[in-house]
Amino acid sequence: MMRSLFSGVSGLKNHQTRMDVIGNNISNVNTTGFKSSRTSFVDMLSQTLSGASAPTGNLGGTNPKQIGLGSSVAAIQTMFTNGSVQSTGKNTDLCLSSENALFILNTGNGTAYTRNGAFEFDADGNYVQTGTGYFVEGWMANNGSIDTGSTPGIISIPAGKTMAPASSTTGTYTNNINSEVPTITEMSGGTYETVTLSGSGEELVVSKKYNPVSLTLDNGKSIDNVMGSEYSDYQYGYSTTTDGNSAKASAKQNVIVHTAGGNFTGKPETTYTVGGNYTTDKVTSGTATGTAANPVTLYLSDGTEHIVTDGSSYVCGTDTYTYPAGSGTATATVIGYANTYKITQLDVEASPSYGMTLKVGGYASHPVQSATATATNTVIINGATEGQIGTTYTIGDTFTYGNTTNPGDTLTGDSSKTVILTLSNGDTATGAPGTPYTVGDAYTVTQNGTSVNLTITGLAYQETITSLEERSNIKTITYQKPERKASSDNPVIVKMSDGTQATQTKGTFEVGHSLPMVTTLTVYDTLGGKHDVAVYFTKTGVETDTEGNTTSTWAVALDTDHTTEGEESTQTITEADGTTTTLKMNTAKLVFDSVGTYKSGSGQPTLTLTNGSQSPQNVQLDFTALTQYASGSTVAGTCDGNAAGTLSSVSIDKTGTITGTYTNGKKQVEAQVALQRFTNPAGLTKIGDSLYEDSNNAGKSGEPNTADAIGATITPAALEMSNVDIAEQFTDMITTQRGYQANSKIITVSDEMLETLINMKR
């Protein structure tokens, strides 16, 4: 009977504990970030009167006889479910939504954790918890960059913080540039510019827009219009031995390639470069010998190709070549080869047609009936041989060349040229076609009916002159630029492809081009000074690239006077403080393909500043994000860099990143709030002030990390409400009260039973 008294007492105590927990929950129904608790009961150890017995024979088994000894509190568990988000409008308040993460606070004596995100900046700019003043921990940014792998510390963003100026290094253009922009069809007025090239190697790629083009030659002659019908019989060319110089063989110009293995005529639509390689056509007979200086490509009967450089020789159709194959080797017969030679010189010759290159130091030649060779006027006989200086040549006459008196030299005539022999007696003789003659050999002549053996002392070729060319080097090239330059005194009137007409008083214009479209690029110097740079875009036409694809081209310059790639464009800006900024940039050529995608082009303006900032300053322009579609032009350019600024406000995003906004219009990441993740947050120890500290069963998970990294969400300008459910607590209160009353009844009934027992003795 006494057992029931103790059971009732334990029930009273446990329900009192449960009531205490409920009371605490209700008391904190409006406590920010509060996590409610719940009480769990378990029965206490039971007294066993008899144990269980197993079935035996004809008797069944029996269950144990046990009397319970009451209840006990199994656990008071903190419920880490998320509370509701309550907007506060204060941008430093943070609401954390996660069932296993907490903010980290530095208490001055250690580390505490909380879900109460009522934070603010104190007088020193420290980010602290309202009420306690404890520091919120996180990572401070370094020039906008945060290292979350480092140990978090106090977040401090003082009011009035300044941002240093940064000079611009890159300008980026984005959006679209209109492919259907109107172009100029006719012009009148303005002035043309005439250019004379006189430096050795200076060149002009002739096109119809450079008409007229005039030349002066070393022989004193002038060609006033290289594209006029009067000079259609002139040929133009040049030679180059400079490594890296290239020339493309085409229908418009021939290229002779000079190599150690001989001279070769370039294949059409093929580009050759001095210092590069020339590979001959495949041959299927003879002997191939490959060296390091002159490699040879072997073609084998099994279809493979191999380059040989070790000096070995192979006879086509006879010799074999062995090469590594898989884990072993393979052998096949050599059926052909091609030699590779280093290019030492290029000779380029073209007629005056669109696309040919004229070069100072090159030559101009034309056919003549008669000509005298001089130091400045070379005569080319029958397209191959240079005439001797001081000698006059006429078509129909004969001439000799290739004279030799070296013993052992051999000449053989043919149908076009005859060998002339000089004999030891001073006479000459005419050799028979196809017969070789050698200096030093005997030659039999008949004198007075007697055969006499004489010695050949000299040999020479003799031909009839069938063609003559007069050739002289180009001394100067003069051409008229196709652009018309406008001025207020002499404006240019342009008619556009859309039928409109405009009068221009500034700039340079060309038929086929669009009018310049201006964009403004804001560039910052090292002192933070702002400079508004005008950048002009001009459509220059449609071209065909080396692969035969159609492309559209644009010129980008700092003025309206230059649209040719590589020409220097300039600009001068008078700043508000009276200083000047001068700019230079080589005109850039932008290329877009037939579907409007950027292909190539870049520019680099150089600023020379006089306001005390670092000078010169280079800015690299990036056009890769531009498109060219049949749509309005929305092209816009932005530069990196910034002026100096003062912190005006801060904002916090859902990752806990604190961003500062400065008076210069720039935003910069200042800090990142750190969070700590726990596997079992209910195992944390409460220490008051809505704070927790770590315990042995909290399961601290790794180092502090960002909200993104641990799957949490931070809502700025809001706080987390208590997760106490009033209806649930009131229900629990009623059941607790009933439980308490029932246990008290056990005690009173047990007391009455004891009293009855005592009265029996009386």
Side-chain angles (χ1 to χ4, degrees):
M1 193 174 297
M2 296 297 290
R3 288 191 296 263
S4 62
L5 284 172
F6 286 110
S7 294
V9 170
S10 68
L12 288 177
K13 290 175 63 178
N14 294 338
H15 281 81
Q16 180 59 58
T17 300
R18 187 182 189 196
M19 192 64 190
D20 292 340
V21 172
I22 293 171
N24 183 63
N25 287 341
I26 295 175
S27 176
N28 286 283
V29 69
N30 287 317
T31 300
T32 302
F34 177 78
K35 301 303 176 186
S36 63
S37 300
R38 71 179 181 187
T39 308
S40 299
F41 296 158
V42 293
D43 64 336
M44 294 179 67
L45 180 67
S46 298
Q47 180 179 354
T48 301
L49 299 180
S50 65
S53 63
T56 58
N58 296 323
L59 294 177
T62 60
N63 294 325
K65 298 174 184 178
Q66 293 179 299
I67 301 174
L69 300 179
S71 65
S72 64
V73 176
I76 300 174
Q77 183 180 7
T78 303
M79 308 299 292
F80 260 85
T81 57
N82 290 321
S84 299
V85 178
Q86 180 182 17
S87 177
T88 65
K90 185 177 182 181
N91 67 338
T92 57
D93 287 342
L94 302 180
C95 173
L96 177 57
S97 298
S98 174
E99 295 191 359
N100 56 4
L102 294 92
F103 297 112
I104 307 171
L105 299 179
N106 184 330
T107 65
N109 295 317
T111 301
Y113 306 96
T114 186
R115 291 293 289 253
N116 179 6
F119 303 145
E120 63 184 3
F121 289 97
D122 66 11
D124 291 336
N126 299 313
Y127 197 38
V128 299
Q129 186 183 53
T130 306
T132 64
Y134 295 155
F135 301 108
V136 180
E137 290 204 349
W139 300 274
M140 293 299 297
N142 182 14
N143 292 327
S145 177
I146 293 178
D147 179 13
T148 58
S150 61
T151 302
I154 296 172
I155 295 175
S156 181
I157 307 174
K161 180 184 178 182
T162 59
M163 177 187 287
S167 60
S168 300
T169 59
T170 302
T172 303
Y173 277 89
T174 57
N175 302 336
N176 186 62
I177 190 166
N178 187 10
S179 65
E180 292 186 336
V181 62
T183 55
I184 300 171
T185 56
E186 295 180 19
M187 292 190 300
S188 61
T191 57
Y192 285 106
E193 179 183 357
T194 299
V195 179
T196 298
L197 305 178
S198 57
S200 177
E202 288 187 313
E203 63 182 39
L204 173 70
V205 178
V206 178
S207 66
K208 294 178 180 178
K209 68 180 184 178
Y210 291 128
N211 188 27
V213 178
S214 299
L215 307 177
T216 61
L217 307 179
D218 283 345
N219 62 6
K221 292 185 178 181
S222 297
I223 303 175
D224 294 329
N225 184 354
V226 301
M227 299 182 71
S229 58
E230 179 183 356
Y231 300 98
S232 60
D233 59 349
Y234 265 86
Q235 293 288 322
Y236 303 90
Y238 63 90
S239 296
T240 177
T241 58
T242 303
D243 278 356
N245 281 0
S246 298
K248 182 178 181 180
S250 67
K252 300 172 183 177
Q253 62 182 23
N254 296 323
V255 177
I256 304 300
V257 181
H258 293 252
T259 73
N263 301 336
F264 304 92
T265 300
K267 299 174 183 177
E269 304 306 315
T270 303
T271 299
Y272 300 94
T273 303
V274 177
N277 291 327
Y278 178 87
T279 301
T280 64
D281 291 334
K282 173 183 174 182
V283 294
T284 56
S285 62
T287 301
T289 302
T291 64
N294 298 113
V296 67
T297 300
L298 299 181
Y299 300 92
L300 305 186
S301 57
D302 61 5
T304 60
E305 300 176 10
H306 304 273
I307 297 177
V308 175
T309 60
D310 61 1
S312 301
S313 297
Y314 301 88
V315 178
C316 285
T318 302
D319 291 343
T320 60
Y321 180 78
T322 301
Y323 60 93
S327 59
T329 60
T331 301
T333 303
V334 177
I335 60 173
Y337 68 92
N339 289 304
T340 298
Y341 302 108
K342 183 178 180 180
I343 299 173
T344 58
Q345 178 178 321
L346 296 175
D347 292 340
V348 184
E349 184 174 87
S351 58
S353 59
Y354 180 87
M356 72 155 292
T357 300
L358 292 176
K359 185 175 292 190
V360 175
Y363 61 83
S365 65
H366 67 105
V368 291
Q369 293 295 314
S370 180
T372 300
T374 67
T376 59
N377 192 68
T378 302
V379 176
I380 307 299
I381 305 168
N382 293 347
T385 307
E386 290 189 11
Q388 295 182 354
I389 293 176
T391 303
T392 299
Y393 300 91
T394 302
I395 290 179
D397 290 349
T398 59
F399 79 105
T400 58
Y401 64 96
N403 296 335
T404 178
T405 58
N406 297 323
D409 284 356
T410 300
L411 297 181
T412 303
D414 55 29
S415 59
S416 64
K417 58 183 179 291
T418 302
V419 176
I420 303 299
L421 295 74
T422 301
L423 305 178
S424 54
N425 65 352
D427 291 342
T428 61
T430 300
T435 301
Y437 298 94
T438 303
V439 176
D441 283 0
Y443 182 79
T444 302
V445 298
T446 301
Q447 294 180 348
N448 301 321
T450 304
S451 294
V452 179
N453 290 327
L454 299 175
T455 302
I456 301 174
T457 59
L459 296 171
Y461 284 125
Q462 186 178 77
E463 288 186 26
T464 299
I465 300 175
T466 58
S467 69
L468 290 173
E469 287 184 29
E470 215 173 37
R471 177 180 294 183
S472 183
N473 290 344
I474 298 172
K475 187 175 183 181
T476 64
I477 304 171
T478 302
Y479 65 95
Q480 188 179 81
K481 286 190 173 182
E483 305 95 346
R484 290 179 185 256
K485 189 169 185 177
S487 65
S488 56
D489 295 333
N490 193 359
V492 173
I493 300 173
V494 297
K495 184 175 181 180
M496 309 301 294
S497 57
D498 61 357
T500 61
Q501 183 171 298
T503 300
Q504 305 292 328
T505 59
K506 181 182 179 181
T508 303
F509 307 92
E510 182 178 336
V511 170
H513 288 191
S514 69
L515 295 178
M517 179 183 66
V518 64
T519 63
T520 300
L521 199 65
T522 299
V523 178
Y524 295 94
D525 60 34
T526 54
L527 296 178
K530 185 174 74 170
H531 309 276
D532 291 329
V533 178
V535 180
Y536 297 90
F537 289 74
T538 304
K539 186 171 184 179
T540 54
V542 176
E543 297 180 354
T544 301
D545 64 16
T546 56
E547 298 175 354
N549 301 314
T550 300
T551 61
S552 296
T553 60
W554 291 74
V556 182
L558 297 178
D559 56 34
T560 57
D561 290 328
H562 297 91
T563 56
T564 300
E565 182 181 12
E567 288 184 338
E568 184 179 82
S569 61
T570 61
Q571 188 177 142
T572 300
I573 304 172
T574 301
E575 310 291 357
D577 60 358
T579 61
T580 59
T581 301
T582 57
L583 299 96
K584 294 181 180 179
M585 182 182 80
N586 289 340
T587 300
K589 178 182 179 181
L590 299 187
V591 180
F592 296 89
D593 63 20
S594 58
V595 294
T597 304
Y598 164 89
K599 287 192 65 178
S600 64
S602 64
Q604 188 173 16
T606 299
L607 289 75
T608 302
L609 306 149
T610 59
N611 63 344
S613 60
Q614 182 178 331
S615 180
Q617 177 180 340
N618 294 323
V619 179
Q620 183 68 45
L621 300 187
D622 182 359
F623 303 104
T624 56
L626 278 178
T627 59
Q628 187 212 229
Y629 301 138
S631 179
S633 290
T634 56
V635 59
T638 57
C639 268
D640 59 357
N642 56 265
T646 303
L647 183 66
S648 60
S649 64
V650 294
S651 61
I652 308 176
D653 65 16
K654 66 178 182 179
T655 67
T657 301
I658 303 175
T659 302
T661 300
Y662 289 79
T663 54
N664 59 6
K666 294 290 184 179
K667 292 186 177 182
Q668 178 175 275
V669 173
E670 301 292 337
Q672 171 95 48
V673 174
L675 301 178
Q676 182 61 60
R677 186 172 182 266
F678 294 91
T679 304
N680 176 32
L684 292 168
T685 302
K686 295 180 180 180
I687 59 175
D689 291 328
S690 295
L691 303 179
Y692 302 85
E693 65 180 7
D694 196 8
S695 75
N696 292 334
N697 195 41
K700 188 175 181 180
S701 181
E703 296 299 321
N705 216 320
T706 63
D708 274 350
I710 63 176
T713 300
I714 294 176
T715 305
L719 294 174
E720 182 184 14
M721 298 175 67
S722 169
N723 68 350
V724 173
D725 186 332
I726 290 292
E728 181 182 352
Q729 297 301 313
F730 281 177
T731 302
D732 287 348
M733 189 187 303
I734 293 171
T735 59
T736 302
Q737 180 185 9
R738 293 305 181 196
Y740 191 90
Q741 290 174 338
N743 279 277
S744 67
K745 211 61 171 169
I746 292 173
I747 296 174
T748 58
V749 171
S750 295
D751 179 56
E752 290 176 358
M753 292 174 68
L754 283 172
E755 185 178 355
T756 300
L757 179 63
I758 293 171
N759 287 338
M760 287 175 64
K761 184 175 184 293
R762 292 176 185 172

